[in-house]
Amino acid sequence: MSDGSTSGNGAAAISSPSSPSAALVLGGGGARAAYQTGVLAYVGEAFPEADIPLMTGVSAGSINAAHLAANPWPLPKRTADLTSYWEDLTMDDVFTPRSLWTMGRSLVRGTPSPKQTLLDTSPLRAYLNERLPTDDDGQFTGVQENLDAGRLSGLAISTSNYATLQTVTWVQGCSIQSWERPNRVGRRAELGLDHVMASTALPVVFPAVRLNGAWYGDGGLRMLDPLAPAVHLGADRLFVISTRYERSRAEATQAGRTAPYPSIFQMAGILANVLMLDVLEHDASVLRRINRLVRRLRPEQRGRLRPIDLLILRPSVDLGALAEDYRLDIGGAMGSLLSAIQWQNDPQSDWLSMLLFKPGYMQRLLEIGYEDAERQHHRIEAFFARDPVGADERDHSSSVSTRS
């Protein structure tokens, strides 16, 4: 496969046509990644023979991508097992709050340390190590097994290098060369728990992870081209599951009329959406424009350019607003900080939803994801059948699914 390329801030329709492949693209959102699992659960049930040889994940999406790529079972069993991960997950399985004493002592010492973050994610590493097939070094043993058996063509997990401020995508599989762009690079690696933990490490909140002698954090921080890794792997079809709710014009207008002065947590939620979710929508928009331009060219003029099929599923419900029905109780330094500024009165819960690893909330997200995918059955079916969907069918439902 060719390594592909990109143009501007979007994934360009440039890749080798010799090995057409579908890629699953899973972005971030913290606990909201349970929504992705609900969608995948329906896909596994309704399309058990679906062929998705390429997997890409960033932030919490890297957990789901790693599970699907590291297990050798048929798709329905993989997605069902992934669902059980999220059904069984509790806040204690994800993080432990650091005490004010631990953080304060670490800060006084003056030497940067993982203990200077608000939350300790050792429980999440232990949970994943128990659930995913790994060796003694934490490497995913099942990924290479699936590559050798032809069940998988490639897995890519994206992280952010704190020293260079580059997005680094770690790739196992695919006959590609490492790629270099000004703000993002691709590196071949044998993937494991460290890559997933780095990809999910939100700055200040979760500790950074050391990879190849450098410190890495959440892959969504500087990732301006979230579709690009899949294109680099040689995908000609992208199945994207977003956790970002797209408001209608009427909803946006009403919210603007009734909104109070923005609180610190409302602004934190906006920042989280901008960094992790909104860039995907921008990249998809750029890709659609490039696709339209490529289709206007005669075949002999296209060279290596070709359209890349795009399917995006988004929540039919505002997952941030849904979090308002649940209470987040965090102890330690973070709990003290939240209580000091009376966060319970904050009306915007985008930031809250990312840390709300509560069974009730995640079960609701699983249900919404499953129901949204079920409503979009014909579009998913068309995607796997490589059957075009007309432009007049786009964005007609609250669970938006777009194909170019």
Side-chain angles (χ1 to χ4, degrees):
M1 295 181 185
S2 167
D3 68 341
S5 182
T6 61
S7 175
N9 287 331
I14 304 177
S15 55
S16 170
S18 59
S19 302
S21 296
L24 179 64
V25 180
L26 301 175
R32 286 192 279 185
Y35 172 82
Q36 298 172 348
T37 305
V39 172
L40 292 168
Y42 180 78
V43 172
E45 290 181 14
F47 307 97
E49 302 301 322
D51 184 23
I52 315 176
L54 299 171
M55 308 279 178
T56 72
V58 60
S59 194
S62 68
I63 297 174
N64 291 338
H67 169 81
L68 294 175
N71 285 291
W73 311 313
L75 182 62
K77 179 168 173 49
R78 279 184 286 162
T79 56
D81 198 64
L82 181 60
T83 301
S84 73
Y85 278 25
W86 289 91
E87 288 176 334
D88 297 340
L89 194 66
T90 67
M91 201 171 297
D92 291 338
D93 293 320
V94 180
F95 55 75
T96 300
R98 296 195 195 278
S99 68
L100 284 170
W101 168 251
T102 299
M103 288 192 66
R105 185 174 58 177
S106 180
L107 289 168
V108 167
R109 287 177 177 176
T111 302
S113 160
K115 293 183 179 180
Q116 293 173 4
T117 57
L118 293 167
L119 303 174
D120 175 12
T121 52
S122 297
L124 177 60
R125 183 183 179 89
Y127 187 82
L128 294 177
N129 190 42
E130 180 183 342
R131 296 289 187 127
L132 290 170
T134 57
D135 60 19
D136 293 339
D137 295 324
Q139 306 302 315
F140 298 136
T141 56
V143 172
Q144 191 59 52
E145 179 183 342
N146 284 334
L147 289 169
D148 293 340
R151 293 186 290 263
L152 178 73
S153 296
L155 169 64
I157 294 176
S158 296
T159 61
S160 297
N161 186 317
Y162 283 155
T164 65
L165 302 181
Q166 289 178 308
T167 296
V168 179
T169 298
W170 307 90
V171 180
Q172 185 170 352
C174 293
S175 57
I176 66 167
Q177 301 298 318
S178 298
W179 64 83
E180 297 275 355
R181 298 294 183 272
N183 294 314
R184 54 185 174 79
V185 298
R187 296 285 182 264
R188 299 187 66 83
E190 184 178 351
L191 297 177
L193 288 176
D194 283 343
H195 298 90
V196 171
M197 294 303 297
S199 187
T200 60
L202 190 64
V204 181
V205 181
F206 297 153
V209 177
R210 196 171 182 85
L211 297 171
N212 288 15
W215 291 99
Y216 289 83
D218 197 297
L221 296 178
R222 294 285 307 271
M223 197 171 196
L224 301 180
D225 311 281
L227 302 181
V231 177
H232 280 293
L233 296 186
D236 69 338
R237 291 174 292 148
L238 308 182
F239 185 0
V240 183
I241 306 176
S242 173
T243 61
R244 176 182 179 273
Y245 174 72
E246 187 169 358
R247 287 179 174 177
S248 67
R249 183 175 299 179
E251 287 175 317
T253 300
Q254 181 62 27
R257 289 173 180 167
T258 60
Y261 185 83
S263 71
I264 184 172
F265 287 111
Q266 181 180 354
M267 290 185 282
I270 292 171
L271 181 60
N273 280 331
V274 169
L275 291 176
M276 299 182 183
L277 305 180
D278 292 353
V279 289
L280 189 151
E281 302 298 331
H282 172 73
D283 205 22
S285 178
V286 172
L287 176 57
R288 286 191 286 267
R289 289 198 297 270
I290 294 175
N291 278 340
R292 287 193 293 269
L293 290 173
V294 172
R295 288 191 176 100
R296 292 179 181 178
L297 297 174
R298 294 192 298 272
E300 63 272 15
Q301 295 176 316
R302 293 181 180 181
R304 291 172 56 233
L305 286 167
R306 62 195 175 88
I308 292 181
D309 207 12
L310 177 65
L311 170 65
I312 301 180
L313 267 66
R314 305 182 186 88
S316 59
V317 176
D318 188 334
L319 305 184
L322 184 65
E324 294 178 5
D325 296 335
Y326 301 85
R327 182 180 177 85
L328 179 63
D329 297 309
I330 297 181
M334 188 169 189
S336 299
L337 173 64
L338 298 178
S339 296
I341 52 182
Q342 297 181 335
W343 63 274
Q344 293 94 337
N345 298 324
D346 185 70
Q348 295 292 329
S349 299
D350 278 337
W351 66 272
L352 165 63
S353 66
M354 295 185 181
L355 295 177
L356 195 61
F357 291 93
K358 282 199 166 186
Y361 179 63
M362 289 187 293
Q363 182 61 45
R364 186 71 188 106
L365 299 190
L366 289 167
E367 294 169 356
I368 294 171
Y370 187 95
E371 293 163 1
D372 284 352
E374 186 175 28
R375 282 194 292 269
Q376 298 296 329
H377 178 98
H378 71 289
R379 292 176 180 273
I380 300 172
E381 183 178 42
F383 176 85
F384 288 119
R386 303 181 63 85
D387 193 20
V389 174
D392 58 335
E393 292 185 78
R394 296 175 186 160
D395 299 340
H396 279 195
S397 112
S398 57
S399 176
V400 182
S401 173
T402 305
R403 271 190 95 194
S404 297

